[in-house]
Amino acid sequence: MSKRLTKQQFIDKIEPFADLILPLGHGEPRLLLDWLEEEHKQLERVKIHQILPVQQRDYMYGKMKGHLTHVSYFLSGANRQAYLDGHIELVPNVFHEMPKILRQSTHLSAVLAVVSPIDEHGYFSLGTQAEYISPLIGKVPFYVEVNEHMPRTFGGNQIHISQVKGYVEHHVPLIEVPEPRIREADLQIADFIAERVRDGDTLQIGIGSIPNAVTHKLKHHRSLGLHSELISDGIVDLVKAGVIDGSAKMTNRGKLIGTFALGTERLHRFLHHNPVIELLPVDIVNHPMEIAKEDNIVSINATTEVDFYGQCASETIGGTYYSSTGGQADFARAVHFAKRGRGYICMHSTAKNGEVSRIMPHLTKGSVVTTSKNDVDHIVTEYGVAKLYGKSIQARTEALIQIAHPKFREELTFEAKRLGFII
């Protein structure tokens, strides 16, 4: 009880020029953020560092400059416009290096996070989180927001009361992140991937409607494993159907490994006290050499455009920033270290209601390469699968044109010949 904080006690602990670290998604502490905003005039040049916030906040939009500002490492709908309007900083990163980046580039003044209620042994759980904040346990001051709606999970995300500088209680339902709507093209792409997933494979499934559609197409598989940065609602059905059981994994056999969970109340109920789930730090889960210990790792992610070299621009749309690198680059590299690893990067063949091909000779001006031409393995559209890894630029170009929308193939072939991609 001596560690329970009032609003003013909490504000008094935030020093000038502090760097405050927040978990992503459901781990975002709403009451503590409310207090920071309400009392921002008592703060001096404090920065909040976070990936993928779920709530739009005034401090993100330049309304508390000089007092409270935001540094992002992955944009979401909450802060995307703030970045485009020039109010926040965006730091490039690959997900597994986030703890290292925070250690080297910030003061690590404190971590603010939501936790499940304390157990009989004196431990809180970070619930849906481990990612880049769990490696900071015991090394950085933690101020936590206890919420009975946060599921208790297991793994590398337990924090003892002795490691907590102060806490508040705020028992409100977690903000839900519903599954994206699945379209017909998503299911067509998912079919191509599902027929290439073998019983006994271990999956990494990214964020988006296409990766989500893949989970709907795997219900006849068996003995699949999960080693994925993300655990989402789509995984729940596969576990309940006996599709994912982890029995053929090389590491953490029988366990579902992730570094964070993002979804709905249904997912939270599935996670709560579930001994099969283990959430581990991102510098373990997403480290390419750790991923590669799974001989049969299959990585499934999405992109927005691909050029004839095979470069994937997955964090910009039409040359405008939309998100960030996340874990795509981690897994794209890792599958080549694994004995039988395969990587699939998916996209619809067209954009703007079919007016623009997403396969093009060169990326749109301003686009950012997420997965390099050297790491890309397969590209998948609703028209097929192009194997790029180990192929020449000419062979890649020809393969990509074959999976482009039919109405653009002639134009793409002409441009490929004009630019010398095809002889």
Side-chain angles (χ1 to χ4, degrees):
M1 291 298 294
S2 64
K3 293 190 176 186
R4 186 164 187 165
L5 299 173
T6 64
K7 177 164 66 171
Q8 191 57 51
Q9 287 172 331
F10 170 65
I11 295 298
D12 288 344
K13 292 180 181 295
I14 309 302
E15 297 180 351
F17 298 91
D19 289 306
L20 306 180
I21 315 301
L22 267 61
L24 63 81
H26 303 303
E28 188 176 292
R30 283 181 275 170
L31 179 60
L32 294 181
L33 287 175
D34 287 345
W35 285 358
L36 288 172
E37 288 194 320
E38 289 166 8
E39 305 301 329
H40 70 273
K41 291 184 179 179
Q42 297 187 51
L43 305 174
E44 182 182 356
R45 297 190 180 278
V46 172
K47 291 184 176 181
I48 294 179
H49 301 256
Q50 189 183 15
I51 277 179
L52 200 71
V54 293
Q55 271 199 318
Q56 189 175 101
R57 291 277 181 170
D58 283 348
Y59 70 82
M60 298 174 180
Y61 285 79
K63 297 180 181 180
M64 299 174 184
K65 282 186 176 178
H67 303 285
L68 198 60
T69 56
H70 179 55
V71 181
S72 180
Y73 299 78
F74 195 105
L75 301 176
S76 71
N79 66 350
R80 187 172 296 120
Q81 193 60 50
Y83 170 73
L84 297 176
D85 291 344
H87 296 303
I88 67 175
E89 301 173 55
L90 178 64
V91 180
N93 67 94
V94 291
F95 200 11
H96 87 271
E97 292 186 345
M98 271 296 295
K100 176 182 177 181
I101 289 171
L102 292 172
R103 284 193 293 266
Q104 292 185 352
S105 304
T106 77
H107 296 107
L108 287 178
S109 307
V111 173
L112 314 181
V114 179
V115 295
S116 66
I118 197 167
D119 68 11
E120 66 271 26
H121 305 294
Y123 283 90
F124 301 101
S125 164
L126 292 172
T128 55
Q129 314 305 129
E131 21 98 341
Y132 49 88
I133 61 168
S134 61
L136 305 179
I137 293 173
K139 301 175 183 178
V140 177
F142 269 69
Y143 296 95
V144 301
E145 187 171 302
V146 181
N147 187 345
E148 63 189 9
H149 296 274
M150 176 62 83
R152 175 171 293 281
T153 61
F154 306 105
N157 63 347
Q158 313 300 301
I159 181 167
H160 193 264
I161 183 63
S162 63
Q163 298 166 317
V164 170
K165 290 292 184 180
Y167 77 92
V168 298
E169 292 192 26
H170 190 53
H171 302 295
V172 293
L174 303 182
I175 294 174
E176 296 190 60
V177 179
E179 292 181 285
R181 181 175 64 89
I182 296 175
R183 292 175 282 181
E184 183 59 35
D186 299 329
L187 294 172
Q188 292 170 347
I189 293 168
D191 278 330
F192 286 123
I193 295 173
E195 66 187 25
R196 288 164 171 79
V197 173
R198 308 164 189 150
D199 288 351
D201 281 343
T202 294
L203 305 178
Q204 177 261 327
I205 301 178
I207 294 175
S209 61
I210 299 173
N212 188 47
V214 173
T215 64
H216 291 256
K217 294 290 186 174
L218 294 174
K219 294 183 178 174
H220 298 293
H221 286 70
R222 287 294 177 266
S223 303
L224 297 182
L226 188 75
H227 182 108
S228 180
E229 63 189 53
L230 168 67
I231 297 177
S232 64
D233 282 77
I235 300 301
V236 178
D237 291 330
L238 294 181
V239 175
K240 290 187 174 182
V243 174
I244 292 180
D245 61 15
S247 60
K249 292 183 68 188
M250 308 300 293
T251 63
N252 303 292
R253 186 163 294 178
K255 300 289 187 180
L256 279 66
I257 300 299
T259 196
F260 72 95
L262 193 67
T264 67
E265 174 61 24
R266 177 170 175 264
L267 174 65
H268 303 155
R269 291 195 302 270
F270 171 75
L271 295 172
H272 188 55
H273 278 288
N274 190 336
V276 170
I277 308 292
E278 288 200 359
L279 297 181
L280 303 177
V282 71
D283 50 5
I284 295 175
V285 175
N286 276 49
H287 196 292
M289 297 310 295
E290 189 70 25
I291 298 165
K293 292 177 183 178
E294 292 295 341
D295 290 348
N296 301 298
I297 187 74
V298 176
S299 173
I300 304 161
N301 288 292
T303 193
T304 61
E305 58 184 67
V306 177
D307 68 10
F308 286 163
Y309 295 108
Q311 298 180 115
C312 302
S314 309
E315 55 203 91
T316 49
I317 294 180
T320 300
Y321 236 108
Y322 187 81
S323 55
S324 193
T325 302
Q328 183 175 131
D330 293 333
F331 280 88
R333 180 91 290 263
V335 297
H336 301 302
F337 293 128
K339 288 183 179 178
R340 291 172 291 277
R342 287 100 69 206
Y344 298 94
I345 295 183
C346 316
M347 65 178 186
H348 297 156
S349 63
T350 63
K352 296 184 178 179
N353 296 317
E355 296 177 7
V356 177
S357 175
R358 291 184 184 268
I359 293 172
M360 53 191 66
H362 299 290
L363 297 178
T364 304
K365 183 178 179 180
S367 292
V368 172
V369 176
T370 303
T371 297
S372 79
K373 67 185 189 307
N374 305 323
D375 291 333
V376 68
D377 193 7
H378 302 82
I379 299 294
V380 189
T381 73
E382 67 271 35
Y383 292 100
V385 180
K387 171 73 172 176
L388 302 189
Y389 189 72
K391 300 293 181 67
S392 70
I393 292 172
Q394 177 169 329
R396 289 171 177 228
T397 301
E398 293 170 345
L400 287 167
I401 291 172
Q402 288 302 308
I403 64 167
H405 193 287
K407 73 178 181 180
F408 290 108
R409 291 177 190 171
E410 184 177 348
E411 176 186 341
L412 289 170
T413 301
F414 175 82
E415 284 298 303
K417 291 178 178 178
R418 185 181 71 83
L419 296 169
F421 285 98
I422 296 177
I423 299 171

